[in-house]
Amino acid sequence: MRTVDIEKMVRPNILALKPYSSARDEFSGNEGIFLDANENPYGTLNRYPDPHQKALKTKLSEVKNVPFNQIFIGNGSDEVIDLIYRIFCEPGKDSAIVCPPTYGMYEVSANINHIQLHEIPLTSDFQLDIEKILQTAETDSSVKLIFVCSPNNPTGNRLDNLEKLLENFNGIVVADEAYVDFCPEYSLKSKINKYSHLIVMQTFSKAWALAGVRVGMAFAGEKIISLLDKTKPPYNVSIINQQVALEALSRVDEFEKRRDTILQQRAYLAEELSKLEIVKKIYPSDANFLLVEVSDANRIYNELVQKKVIVRNRNRQVTNCVRITIGTPGENEELLNKLRTLV
Ligand code: PMP
């Protein structure tokens, strides 16, 4: 158990914000005559969405086993990343830690918000360099938070030692679990009451197969959730987004079936790839992709593009590596056939 004074970490202008509220909050559903928001009275999607996303949060709370007041819903987890910077980091003054190779939006969003980054690379086995992280946070008081991604994109492995980090790091720890539904037993979501400075991010974009819908979420202590709620645009998640995510949550069996197929295909693809001469190494993965070291990543990437198969060239982050998303059985077979023609 570690209780960190969250309010001390928040930018003063954010702390002073009042939460969004409307008299409509007192009504459920569509009862009442709503003449307060300059909507058009005609049509089917004429009303603004529920800014508190009550129906979706209620169902999520049940499926994810996280209390309602400890759930935040964002327009994809990319929005959550941006909000976290805005809440905790003063532009041009504060800094954050990222551990490359990792998800690129932590850097893009830091650049947009004018937040300086400390890059502390993962070790050779793609784990956190805890000593260096703690040393950096200790010597630079501008460090307000750290992003850790587990399972990590693009390496595919989950990070050990996250509890050690939580026990010792004094800023906000953001655990990005975009891929955790592929290995749910490793989620940190059950620790949000143990560590008041932990934010766990998840998404509907991966195992839930809804990248087009843009719904991400954060689980944390109530203080952090209310800060996220105050900082978001009131109508950040559309009615359609909320409905589609809600419907997906009521079809858990379908979700599990698809996820199991992807996991089987991941094992099959890894086995078949390992038989190819151009493949030097396949990194173990807990996600829906494989990081694969090949003889020449640039050439293989380009030759695949010529054949209309797009993988991700990760050569600049991990030498001679491509990241391959697990597709349908048919897509995976086509990829293998095309790779078999390369020498
Ligand atoms: N985190 C990680 C680690 C990701 O790989 C991605 C998407 N590639 C995201 C977050 C973004 O998720 P969303 O679609 O919910 O914005």
Side-chain angles (χ1 to χ4, degrees), residues 101-103 122 125-127 149-159 179-180 182-183 186 263 266 282-292 314 318 322-324:
T102 195
Y103 182 45
L122 296 176
D125 55 352
F126 298 144
Q127 291 297 331
C149 186
S150 180
N152 186 42
N153 173 7
T155 57
N157 62 299
R158 73 202 126 78
L159 302 177
Y179 298 95
V180 87
F182 295 103
C183 53
Y186 296 113
L263 295 180
R266 184 180 74 196
I282 299 163
Y283 288 92
S285 171
D286 280 308
N288 66 334
F289 57 84
L290 291 168
L291 185 71
V292 183
R314 281 288 165 238
V318 196
V322 291
R323 193 194 66 194
I324 302 176

Side-chain angles (χ1 to χ4, degrees), residues 158-170:
R158 73 202 126 78
L159 302 177
D160 305 328
N161 285 333
L162 288 174
E163 286 231 44
K164 188 173 173 199
L165 180 72
L166 283 159
E167 290 291 343
N168 294 288
F169 188 79
N170 283 326

Side-chain angles (χ1 to χ4, degrees), residues 57 61 66-72 189 191-194 200 217-223 225-226:
K57 280 188 193 171
S61 171
V66 173
F68 183 98
N69 289 339
Q70 294 186 263
I71 301 174
F72 173 80
K189 71 178 159 54
K191 308 283 181 192
I192 52 177
N193 288 324
K194 188 170 177 196
V200 173
M217 64 209 111
F219 307 128
E222 287 186 26
K223 274 198 183 139
I225 295 300
S226 67

